[in-house]
Amino acid sequence: MADQATAPVADPIAISIRSLLANGSTKAALDRAKQHHKEHPSAGSRALLLDVYLERIQALQRQDLATEAQSLMDLVKERFPEGRDRFLALQSRLQLRRGSLDESLGLLVKPGVTPEELAFVNTLIGTEVHDLALIANSEALPTNHPLRVAATVLDRALRTVVSGNGAGIDLALPEISWRSPLAAWKYLIRAIAAFYQGDAETCRQQLDSIPAGAPPARAVAPLRHLLDSKHRSQLSPAARRLVDEVLPPRELATEALRRLDRAFASGKDKQILSAIREATDLVRRYAPDRLDTVKHHIAADAYLAGLDPEPVVQAMGGASVRNAARARLLARVTENSDDPYEILTACTHWHEFIDKAAEEGWFSKKSIEAAQVYLHTAVIAGRVPPEFKYLVDRAPATERERYLPDFLYRKAVELDPSPDTFRPWLDWARRQRGRTGEIVAENWIRARPSDLEPHLYLVDRCAEREAYPSALKHLANAEKIDSMHAETRAMRARLLINGALRQLQQKRPHLVEQRIRELEELPEMRQGDRTALIDALAILAHTALGKHDLTTAAWNRIDATLNGRIASLLLITGMGRQAKLPFTHKMPDAGDLAPEISAQLPLSLARVDQLAHFARLHRMHYPISYLQQLPKLLPRHSKDLTAEQLEALGRIGTGTKWNDVTYAVSTVGLDRSPNEVPRFLLLRAAATRFQHDRARVCASAAHHLAVKLRDNVTAGRALDLLGGPPEKFTDEIVSEILRRERTSRTFSEFSSGPNYDDILDVPDFDYYGPDGEDEDENMFDEFIDARPPGMSADVARVLAEAAVHAASEGVPMEDFVRGLVESIGAPPRGPGKRRGNRRGGRR
Amino acid sequence: MNDARAILGVGPQAGDAEIRAAYLKKVKEHPPDHSPAEFEKIRDAYEILRDPRRRARQLMEASNCPLSHLLSDTPAQPRHVPIELWLEVLKGK
């Protein structure tokens, strides 16, 4: 049924009237058309007037003025009988809007109904009937009419599934064929039923089957939203109302939190604050028991997003409760940062955690639990680089201690004087300058005199600084505690070897013979290749004493032990360097070695380094040509090497900083058994340390695997290399990292190797930041904010730029800051809250 | 072990005696011969909580999960609503 105008009118008035219609001014158009027909009546003007009337009726329909539209319709039907065919569609829609379909449905049973009329009714039903009851209850159709039967079945099914009583309903709905104008309703009913049954997949499939123009398609968007709450803003008001009613109250709050997550991800402050307001409001209404937890997490995320706390607190409708859970969360989100300021902030939060936890009865302030928190805080505080210690100095004197690792470790051992607490303190102390380690070991001995570890540390430390009498004194104490302990006995052997080398250095070779006899008595020196160490000492001593026959005998023994001259020469040369002797043998160049000797080179180097490692020989020398040869030899000649020997080669690589050696060792090591993989993945991290992200990924993955295998040594080394907590990976991600590293078999200084941006979730670099701010412009804000009183911002900026320049020139920041403070003459200020730019740093 | 306390059903304030009582109660509910996997989880949780150092480390655990996960421990059951709300949508309002 055509609605369109039929009168071909081309005069200017008709054009202006049609222009008014096109602009939606139907009332003005009708007035003009009436006037025009009155003044110049013609068939054209009548046809035009009819067109305008019909447009006006439709406009009234659209404005929900059904009564007015019907009155006008009745008038036009009376005055324009020639337009009867064109009234049908309009009249049907008008009736539909007024809740009746009888006139249209009556056509279906009218004798002599035309195909056009039938097609029109089918189209009307298929595209515009939104309520099946209009058909099901229509008296225009007999009760057994197929359309009425179908509508009745569908209407009952729809009401049943939406009311939740549809457990026994037959969703096959065989009464409705796929060709029926009501077919789309069948899919909608099945979709709603599947949704309430929690079968999202079937629900989606049924929704996909609904044709776009059918009335049930209007329910597709809200149903999709209910399945996966996205695009809520695109829903019609009725669809939003439906979604809000169908979703359970907690789910509404969850959905608001989901929107808040997205707002944080967008980095737009206004959007975040608005989403905070909405989410906290819904949580307060529907999940009040979780309000504090939600506020804690919002506060943590807002901190990471660099938002000012005040508007966040306002948006939340009040600050979050300062309890232990809050302090713990804030400590956790700040402690993993590399930013020294945030590390210190984390220390503050952990202190607050102890206070609050004690108040809330979680544990006492003087408990082992509190000791563990101090220990953890000490480890975190230990990550502040020395050049940023001035931040600690700026803190008020009463608070300064909480940032000092030494104080925190002391506090921990005071509350829990166990080896588990002393050990991390000693581990930290041995990395400090001066006698810090020895002081900690002495503290440990005072608290726990019968623990062996601090005594052995003192032996090692004294031997390292060549204080042999002190070392022997500590060794005697260690032997009193446990003379049979493998490490005590190894320590004695080391002391004897290094003592003998010291005597050689002091040109007292005759005394070495006594040491050799003592060494020969030790069972440890008979293990593995260790007799080679005694023979090497004998060669050095007998050469100095001119006892050539003894020297020759020792050479024969050492060659036999180490299976060749190359390893013997490497060991003797290294020990000679340790003793600072002019004794040097020319090592053959790797290129001059016979192929069978060259093939032995990896094994020889590994055995020598294992001996050097045992004896703590720090001045070993490995010819460059050997190091150059190693990466080429390893792929072919590594299968006979034990994991420990491979590790020794890795040590040579890291010790000499020959990255291609380290890399080659890690390559063959990664093909070893799963138990051995973590240490070689860690070695890969060491080989690629100049590729920061890759090294971090490898070390974190090595830590993950080592922890799973209970390989505490490798796990501890991984943490040392990382200098902080590892990245948290799943087993699948670690497998992927291993796969990428295994396929990256050759080392190149110029290649960055596998890309881990996807694993580290590295955001795209955005020079101007999410707010369009220039990062370079902002990077000095912190310096400017903290400038001494009386200094202008411009002067502070110049000084800040000078600091950056000094850093780029390699001037230590500590020196620069000292010079700066001296030149300014201002007292340092305590650390205060600052607004950081942590965009994209969340999770 | 993410939350040993949740497994034994004790709060952060629980001391040794309360933890042990909760452990024994849980073991009675899930004896090893009937539900070995559950028992193993309970035993692991108890092993953590009986050692004050591990207990403290566990107490210090907190992760900054997405905000939308904070209420996820209560399953969301959609509500049935009057047909009129659906009809409003189908009407195209």
Side-chain angles (χ1 to χ4, degrees):
Chain A
M1 296 292 148
D3 285 309
Q4 75 274 19
T6 51
V9 179
D11 67 82
I13 296 174
I15 290 169
S16 74
I17 290 169
R18 292 207 178 277
S19 163
L20 284 169
L21 285 182
N23 293 333
S25 306
T26 53
K27 192 170 184 313
L30 183 59
D31 291 343
R32 294 279 296 276
K34 279 185 197 166
Q35 186 69 23
H36 178 56
H37 183 58
K38 195 174 170 185
E39 289 170 1
H40 309 286
S42 68
S45 67
R46 185 177 170 82
L48 177 62
L49 183 58
L50 176 59
D51 285 349
V52 177
Y53 266 123
L54 294 180
E55 286 290 336
R56 178 65 185 154
I57 292 166
Q58 288 183 60
L60 291 170
Q61 269 186 348
R62 282 195 295 272
Q63 292 165 30
D64 263 348
L65 298 169
T67 311
E68 288 80 354
Q70 188 61 55
S71 303
L72 193 55
M73 185 75 194
D74 293 343
L75 176 80
V76 174
K77 271 164 87 175
E78 193 185 319
R79 287 176 56 183
F80 297 86
E82 72 273 21
R84 197 179 61 86
D85 286 352
R86 295 177 63 194
F87 302 146
L88 179 59
L90 259 182
Q91 180 65 30
S92 299
R93 289 196 186 102
L94 257 179
Q95 283 198 344
L96 184 57
R97 284 201 170 249
R98 300 177 72 191
S100 169
L101 262 178
D102 287 354
E103 201 168 313
S104 308
L105 293 175
L107 290 173
L108 296 177
V109 288
K110 189 184 85 171
V113 63
T114 65
E116 288 79 13
E117 284 172 332
L118 273 178
F120 165 72
V121 176
N122 278 333
T123 307
L124 187 73
I125 293 169
T127 58
E128 303 202 25
V129 174
H130 66 274
D131 186 357
L132 293 161
L134 295 177
I135 305 173
N137 302 330
S138 171
E139 290 181 1
L141 293 177
T143 49
N144 61 349
H145 189 280
L147 184 69
R148 191 167 167 185
V149 171
T152 307
V153 169
L154 287 170
D155 189 48
R156 197 181 305 131
L158 179 67
R159 287 170 195 275
T160 307
V161 292
V162 300
S163 67
N165 302 319
I169 196 170
D170 178 11
L171 291 171
L173 297 168
E175 298 86 348
I176 298 93
S177 88
W178 64 273
R179 286 186 305 176
S180 163
L182 298 176
W185 291 89
K186 191 157 77 167
Y187 304 127
L188 175 65
I189 290 163
R190 287 179 188 160
I192 295 173
F195 166 71
Y196 278 117
Q197 285 161 9
D199 183 355
E201 197 182 335
T202 304
C203 182
R204 283 195 189 93
Q205 281 171 2
Q206 296 297 325
L207 290 178
D208 289 344
S209 304
I210 298 175
R218 294 166 192 158
V220 170
L223 271 167
R224 286 200 195 283
H225 182 87
L226 287 167
L227 289 172
D228 179 16
S229 53
K230 284 179 184 166
H231 316 305
R232 190 170 184 275
S233 57
Q234 293 167 9
L235 296 179
S236 68
R240 277 197 211 187
R241 267 198 307 280
L242 176 73
V243 166
D244 288 350
E245 289 296 323
V246 172
L247 286 179
R250 277 221 167 185
E251 186 54 27
L252 282 178
T254 298
E255 206 197 330
L257 290 170
R258 212 171 279 135
R259 284 195 289 280
L260 179 52
D261 277 327
R262 286 199 288 271
F264 272 120
S266 77
K268 292 174 182 162
D269 291 5
K270 275 188 186 168
Q271 200 176 319
I272 294 171
L273 291 173
S274 158
I276 290 175
R277 218 167 283 123
E278 185 199 10
T280 45
D281 185 43
L282 286 169
V283 172
R284 191 176 290 111
R285 275 159 60 195
Y286 299 129
D289 55 315
R290 299 296 174 86
L291 184 60
D292 280 336
T293 307
V294 168
K295 279 187 172 184
H296 292 160
H297 282 260
I298 291 175
D301 284 354
Y303 177 84
L304 290 177
L307 290 174
D308 286 332
E310 206 172 308
V312 173
V313 168
Q314 269 182 5
M316 291 195 298
S320 55
V321 179
R322 291 185 80 106
N323 58 14
R326 176 187 182 274
R328 177 179 62 182
L329 180 65
L330 291 175
R332 282 290 182 201
V333 299
T334 46
E335 70 179 15
N336 289 341
S337 169
D338 293 329
D339 180 343
Y341 181 90
E342 288 198 7
I343 295 173
L344 295 178
T345 305
C347 294
T348 306
H349 289 311
W350 280 123
H351 273 84
E352 189 182 352
F353 173 70
I354 294 174
D355 291 343
K356 296 291 176 191
E359 276 172 32
E360 291 166 35
W362 291 20
F363 51 75
S364 144
K365 271 189 180 182
K366 294 186 185 282
S367 62
I368 290 177
E369 284 95 331
Q372 286 296 310
V373 185
Y374 281 119
L375 198 59
H376 181 74
T377 315
V379 173
I380 296 168
R383 285 175 34 222
V384 175
E387 62 268 30
F388 286 97
K389 291 283 192 265
Y390 73 94
L391 284 173
V392 176
D393 297 337
R394 283 189 346 187
T398 50
E399 292 174 14
R400 211 167 290 156
E401 285 177 332
R402 65 176 57 170
Y403 309 122
L404 300 174
D406 195 54
F407 169 80
L408 294 163
Y409 280 118
R410 273 177 202 279
K411 197 86 183 148
V413 297
E414 195 181 292
L415 299 174
D416 179 18
S418 69
D420 285 342
T421 320
F422 272 111
R423 197 170 295 123
W425 189 15
L426 186 57
D427 282 345
W428 168 81
R430 70 171 83 221
R431 293 195 295 269
Q432 307 307 306
R433 288 181 190 162
R435 292 191 67 250
T436 314
E438 288 168 68
I439 292 166
V440 172
E442 285 157 9
N443 271 302
W444 187 344
I445 290 167
R446 266 196 297 280
R448 301 178 60 89
S450 56
D451 283 357
L452 188 62
E453 273 178 80
H455 292 287
L456 291 178
Y457 169 77
L458 287 172
V459 178
D460 217 14
R461 185 73 193 93
C462 291
E464 202 175 296
R465 55 184 174 84
E466 299 178 352
Y468 291 104
S470 298
L472 283 167
K473 186 187 86 187
H474 293 302
L475 182 62
N477 291 335
E479 284 171 338
K480 267 185 223 162
I481 295 165
D482 189 354
S483 61
M484 298 306 288
H485 192 280
E487 196 57 26
T488 314
R489 288 158 67 161
M491 206 61 96
R492 174 156 287 280
R494 275 177 209 137
L495 273 188
L496 286 171
I497 293 167
N498 281 283
L501 291 171
R502 177 93 174 142
Q503 285 164 342
L504 284 169
Q505 187 183 342
Q506 291 167 345
K507 304 203 188 314
R508 291 190 287 178
H510 54 286
L511 297 177
V512 173
E513 287 179 332
Q514 173 59 28
R515 299 276 186 206
I516 288 174
R517 278 193 292 279
E518 287 177 49
L519 279 166
E520 283 169 342
E521 294 297 312
L522 296 177
E524 289 67 44
M525 293 308 293
R526 290 180 217 130
Q527 289 174 16
D529 297 333
R530 288 177 192 167
T531 53
L533 287 163
I534 301 174
D535 291 326
L537 275 178
I539 291 166
L540 292 169
H542 295 151
T543 304
L545 293 167
K547 295 180 179 176
H548 300 299
D549 48 338
L550 289 174
T551 310
T552 308
W555 270 113
N556 292 337
R557 284 197 305 274
I558 195 169
D559 285 350
T561 306
L562 294 179
N563 210 17
R565 183 50 63 97
I566 295 293
S568 312
L569 279 173
L570 283 169
L571 181 62
I572 294 166
T573 310
M575 291 177 76
R577 286 166 65 91
Q578 189 86 8
K580 296 180 183 166
L581 290 179
F583 177 90
T584 50
H585 278 266
K586 171 119 178 76
M587 299 291 299
D589 192 86
D592 299 335
L593 298 176
E596 65 275 15
I597 294 176
S598 183
Q600 286 290 312
L601 205 51
L603 182 61
S604 300
L605 284 164
R607 290 168 79 174
V608 168
D609 194 78
Q610 281 182 302
L611 290 171
H613 187 65
F614 168 76
R616 303 281 195 271
L617 304 174
H618 305 297
R619 298 197 181 111
M620 295 303 290
H621 170 71
Y622 302 104
I624 290 171
S625 67
Y626 292 11
L627 298 175
Q628 285 171 330
Q629 205 61 17
L630 253 183
K632 295 172 200 159
L633 294 168
L634 268 172
R636 280 176 288 135
H637 303 290
S638 65
K639 61 180 182 297
D640 296 333
L641 300 182
T642 64
E644 286 66 34
Q645 287 167 334
L646 262 186
E647 210 170 17
L649 291 179
R651 214 161 35 229
I652 291 175
T654 51
T656 55
K657 294 189 170 54
W658 277 73
N659 288 331
D660 44 357
V661 170
T662 316
Y663 198 95
V665 176
S666 70
T667 298
V668 294
L670 286 177
D671 293 336
R672 293 288 177 116
S673 73
N675 284 349
E676 295 166 8
V677 162
R679 59 179 108 169
F680 294 109
L681 191 53
L682 185 61
L683 197 62
R684 177 61 58 92
T688 58
R689 64 190 182 283
F690 52 90
Q691 298 165 11
H692 181 77
D693 283 351
R694 185 180 180 187
R696 181 157 191 80
V697 165
C698 289
S700 298
H703 180 267
H704 178 97
L705 291 172
V707 168
K708 283 192 84 170
L709 293 167
R710 296 176 193 273
D711 178 355
N712 295 333
V713 174
T714 305
R717 283 181 189 161
L719 291 180
D720 283 349
L721 192 142
L722 285 161
E727 298 288 335
K728 286 188 179 164
F729 295 142
T730 60
D731 290 349
E732 290 73 28
I733 289 179
V734 170
S735 300
E736 174 59 18
I737 292 165
L738 262 179
R739 189 193 64 74
R740 291 187 199 180
E741 289 301 332
R742 278 181 176 137
T743 49
S744 184
R745 301 188 74 79
T746 46
F747 175 79
S748 166
E749 295 274 4
F750 307 105
S751 160
S752 57
N755 188 322
Y756 289 113
D757 284 358
D758 54 336
I759 285 174
L760 288 173
D761 196 19
V762 175
D764 291 339
F765 180 69
D766 181 358
Y767 185 81
Y768 292 103
D771 289 337
E773 295 167 343
D774 187 334
E775 296 274 343
D776 267 0
E777 284 299 309
N778 292 336
M779 66 185 285
F780 302 126
D781 286 355
E782 201 178 326
F783 294 89
I784 295 166
D785 287 349
R787 68 188 185 275
M791 179 189 283
S792 76
D794 287 342
V795 172
R797 179 176 292 278
V798 169
L799 286 168
E801 285 169 358
V804 172
H805 178 73
S808 69
E809 294 291 312
V811 176
M813 194 51 66
E814 206 172 7
D815 292 352
F816 178 81
V817 172
R818 196 179 300 115
L820 184 66
V821 170
E822 281 167 10
S823 63
I824 297 169
R829 294 169 56 180
K833 184 76 192 89
R834 61 94 200 251
R835 181 185 162 95
N837 193 346
R838 296 285 320 275
R839 305 283 189 211
R842 185 165 174 261
R843 296 182 200 109
Chain B
M1 183 68 54
N2 281 335
D3 196 351
R5 279 183 169 75
I7 290 168
L8 293 191
V10 294
Q13 292 94 341
D16 289 340
E18 195 182 334
I19 288 168
R20 183 164 169 74
Y23 167 66
L24 294 175
K25 184 169 166 251
K26 286 277 174 189
V27 169
K28 269 187 194 161
E29 287 170 13
H30 304 280
D33 47 344
H34 283 132
S35 38
E38 195 63 26
F39 171 75
E40 201 166 315
K41 264 169 45 180
I42 293 165
R43 197 196 52 203
D44 287 350
Y46 182 55
E47 287 299 319
I48 288 175
L49 295 183
R50 69 192 294 208
D51 174 353
R53 293 182 191 89
R54 294 178 75 189
R55 188 161 68 205
R57 285 198 286 273
Q58 218 263 342
L59 209 49
M60 289 159 69
E61 281 301 319
S63 59
N64 188 24
C65 61
L67 294 162
S68 51
H69 293 188
L70 292 174
L71 309 180
S72 60
D73 54 351
T74 49
Q77 285 298 322
R79 291 182 296 181
H80 293 281
V81 296
I83 184 83
E84 286 72 24
L85 280 169
W86 288 94
L87 293 180
E88 285 291 298
V89 172
L90 292 164
K91 208 170 177 180
K93 288 205 170 175

